[in-house]
Amino acid sequence: MTELLPIFPLSQMPLPGVRLPLRIFEQRYLSMISRQLRAGAGFVVAQIYEGAEVGQASFFPLAVEVAIVDWDPLPDGLLGLTIEGRQVVRIHAHQSEPDGLVQGQCERLGEQRSEEPLDDWDGLLDVLSQLKSHPSVASLALPEVTDANALGWQLLQLLPLEASARQKALPLSPADRLVWLSTVIDSLSSE
């Protein structure tokens, strides 16, 4: 089943459980945020593969529905917004409104829960710990990893991967995502 949701194309997309700060200045997005806050609803962030954040852009069909967790008017007149990834969605069709806002028919992809013990993934936990020690990653305030889902999403967010590679991992089960990430990390470390 699909639902019509507003789409915000960005060069960076927060994955489920990961927060991302934004600075909103375009009128179409200010209006969208206002509507979504009044409705207590989120929106979809789609990663751009061609074009730019300002103007027209082409984006991948797998995206992430986000919640607005905080907002604040900034001293420079822009709107500061913190969003958190909630759920992967597939965009089946989209259209631009007269103001340039994109609306899309989105299908929420159900997240499979993983019962695998984290102890099975000690190597990946070590890689994540090293990534989290970087000062710029600390600003993301990533939550503690308590299951395989969180481990996979956080690694996928932080590793230096092409957007097209991330797209391959979005629909995978938590266990398959971790196996895929293990392979990717091995190939990155051998370069």
Side-chain angles (χ1 to χ4, degrees), residues 100-118:
L101 181 68
V102 178
Q103 300 269 358
Q105 288 294 332
C106 300
E107 172 191 6
R108 291 177 177 91
L109 304 182
E111 180 68 56
Q112 300 172 14
R113 300 315 282 159
S114 176
E115 302 301 324
E116 292 186 55
L118 278 174

Side-chain angles (χ1 to χ4, degrees), residues 121 124 174-184:
W121 302 102
L124 292 180
D176 289 343
R177 191 175 301 116
L178 291 176
V179 169
W180 182 84
L181 284 164
S182 295
T183 304
V184 167

Side-chain angles (χ1 to χ4, degrees), residues 90-179:
R90 182 179 307 279
I91 303 168
H92 290 283
H94 65 277
Q95 63 196 34
S96 290
E97 301 295 321
D99 67 356
L101 181 68
V102 178
Q103 300 269 358
Q105 288 294 332
C106 300
E107 172 191 6
R108 291 177 177 91
L109 304 182
E111 180 68 56
Q112 300 172 14
R113 300 315 282 159
S114 176
E115 302 301 324
E116 292 186 55
L118 278 174
D119 297 346
D120 293 350
W121 302 102
D122 283 345
L124 292 180
L125 284 165
D126 289 344
V127 170
L128 181 61
S129 176
Q130 291 173 25
L131 290 168
K132 283 183 165 182
S133 70
H134 192 278
S136 65
V137 174
S139 68
L140 295 175
L142 294 170
E144 181 181 342
V145 169
T146 58
D147 59 30
N149 285 344
L151 175 60
W153 290 131
Q154 288 186 25
L155 281 169
L156 194 58
Q157 185 80 46
L158 298 176
L159 287 171
L161 301 172
E162 294 290 326
S164 58
R166 280 192 179 82
Q167 285 287 305
K168 291 177 186 174
L170 289 176
L172 297 176
S173 71
D176 289 343
R177 191 175 301 116
L178 291 176
V179 169

Side-chain angles (χ1 to χ4, degrees), residues 62-73:
L62 291 177
V64 175
E65 185 175 9
V66 300
I68 301 168
V69 295
D70 195 17
W71 62 276
D72 202 16

